[in-house]
Amino acid sequence: MASYLYCVRSDAQQPEGVVGLDGAPVRSIDAGTLVAWVGDVADGSVDVTVERLRAHDAVCAAALTHGDTPLPIRFGQSFADDAALVRAVADREHALRERLARVSGCVELRVVVTRGRDVDVNEQTPAFATPDAIGSSASVDSADVDDEQQAEGPGTSFLRRLARAGRADLAREVACEEVRHSVRAAVGDLIIDQQRCEAMRGVAFFPVLVRRSDVDAFRAAAKNILPSQQIDLSVLGPFAPYSFSTDA
Amino acid sequence: MPGDVVDNAPLELADLINRVLDKGAVIAGSVTISVGDIDLIQLDLTLVLTAIETVRTAERRRREGGDR
């Protein structure tokens, strides 16, 4: 059996009744002056599955509910045994303590932009003239499709779809940056830290670190203050501070 | 854990993958990754994640070069 690491914390909060990957119970072990929440896995390599990702996240979420904010560990880190795990954690104790101090008393929220403003439907791109609506934010009325487009070949059609998808992505990213700056201007006093916008898998988002007591206020402010015309967004969380636990 | 009600399952999954698989503190160790239809690959966490083919090519070259 190998030892799998979920999170590191500065207090002695016990993982009572917490279950991790593949139903294995989570336990705590002392790692220098820190405490690690760990579990047993069958061998040193851990295959990624959605179920295991959820299990890992659930352990970190459980760790967040009691005591001070833990430092969530990236999925998939296992060690030959507890002794090896403790050595690895102890070797990085100073850096981990710094990060724990940084996130102490805080949680991560993620502002996710799922749709940016529609691009002008008459906008022309250099290579592809398209009167179609852009991206997923508006439906395309087949009656409006230009005769010329109906005659285009599959290659051109494919490239036109790429162009539309790319512009939808760009619209989301632009909107996300607008949202990020608007939030900072409006409720900057609630934000302990934030990261730049990222785009992934069809959405754009930015994470913020806020005090636990400010979660509701931030969520209300994000939805009420921001320019909302044609921008769809959600505020996800609170989560353990994954985005603020990595190397600077 | 209380939070926004998110009805969009793909959004929730994308967020989960980004947080748990792409973020979080890195200590040490190795991980074997199998996601969807992607074949298993073994990575050292100190390496930047690369395309599967790039990793396989690197592994082939190391075996052929005899260095380890």
Side-chain angles (χ1 to χ4, degrees):
Chain A
M1 299 295 282
S3 298
Y4 181 89
L5 180 60
Y6 292 98
C7 63
V8 172
R9 55 191 314 147
S10 57
D11 58 22
Q13 188 68 38
Q14 295 296 305
E16 295 180 5
V18 178
V19 173
L21 269 63
D22 304 331
V26 177
R27 52 193 171 80
S28 67
I29 57 174
D30 293 334
T33 61
L34 300 174
V35 174
W37 280 22
V38 306
D40 295 328
V41 290
D43 54 34
S45 63
V46 179
D47 294 350
V48 173
T49 66
V50 173
E51 291 72 27
R52 284 179 174 162
L53 287 177
R54 292 191 198 284
H56 182 107
D57 190 39
V59 173
C60 292
L64 189 60
T65 59
H66 299 292
D68 202 357
T69 301
L71 205 69
I73 301 298
R74 190 173 302 184
F75 179 91
Q77 294 180 64
S78 58
F79 303 82
D81 50 32
D82 283 1
L85 187 152
V86 166
R87 281 196 300 273
V89 171
D91 284 348
R92 300 179 62 83
E93 183 171 346
H94 180 71
L96 292 171
R97 277 215 161 272
E98 281 188 343
R99 285 178 222 163
L100 278 165
R102 178 185 177 197
V103 302
S104 178
C106 298
V107 295
E108 176 173 334
L109 298 175
R110 292 155 79 88
V111 181
V112 181
V113 175
T114 53
R115 182 175 69 88
R117 288 195 187 86
D118 289 347
V119 177
D120 188 328
V121 297
N122 293 318
E123 181 179 342
Q124 304 289 306
T125 55
F128 307 102
T130 168
D132 296 340
I134 301 300
S136 61
S137 58
S139 60
V140 175
D141 184 345
S142 59
D144 295 333
V145 175
D146 190 84
D147 289 342
E148 189 175 326
Q149 289 187 45
Q150 289 181 322
E152 69 187 17
T156 301
S157 177
F158 171 71
L159 291 173
R160 194 183 301 283
R161 285 198 302 275
L162 279 184
R164 283 201 295 267
R167 287 161 72 183
D169 287 341
L170 182 60
R172 274 190 295 270
E173 292 179 42
V174 168
C176 189
E177 279 297 324
E178 286 186 49
V179 166
R180 188 171 77 91
H181 288 288
S182 295
V183 165
R184 193 172 189 89
V187 290
D189 58 328
L190 299 182
I191 300 174
I192 302 301
D193 198 359
Q194 67 171 248
Q195 303 283 342
R196 294 179 60 83
C197 286
E198 292 183 43
M200 54 125 189
R201 303 175 182 92
V203 299
F205 75 98
F206 64 93
V208 295
L209 189 69
V210 301
R211 286 174 288 269
R212 292 173 187 249
S213 57
D214 290 333
V215 168
D216 290 341
F218 179 89
R219 188 174 282 126
K223 291 187 174 179
N224 294 331
I225 294 175
L226 299 170
S228 60
Q229 55 272 37
Q230 298 181 320
I231 297 176
D232 291 344
L233 63 86
S234 300
V235 179
L236 306 183
F239 303 114
Y242 288 90
S243 300
F244 303 93
S245 299
T246 55
D247 291 327
Chain B
M1 192 73 187
D4 257 6
V5 175
V6 180
D7 297 328
N8 190 336
L11 170 61
E12 183 267 340
L13 180 58
D15 176 76
L16 176 74
I17 291 173
N18 178 267
R19 277 186 297 114
V20 182
L21 197 55
D22 295 348
K23 309 291 183 187
V26 175
I27 305 298
S30 63
V31 61
T32 301
I33 291 179
S34 172
V35 180
D37 294 327
I38 299 175
D39 293 337
L40 287 172
I41 56 175
Q42 246 182 346
L43 300 172
D44 185 325
L45 283 176
T46 59
L47 294 176
V48 175
L49 289 177
T50 58
I52 294 173
E53 201 50 48
T54 303
V55 172
R56 286 177 173 167
T57 300
E59 288 289 335
R60 268 199 308 275
R61 286 177 179 165
R62 273 202 292 277
R63 283 196 299 272
E64 291 166 2
D67 62 84
R68 181 72 183 153

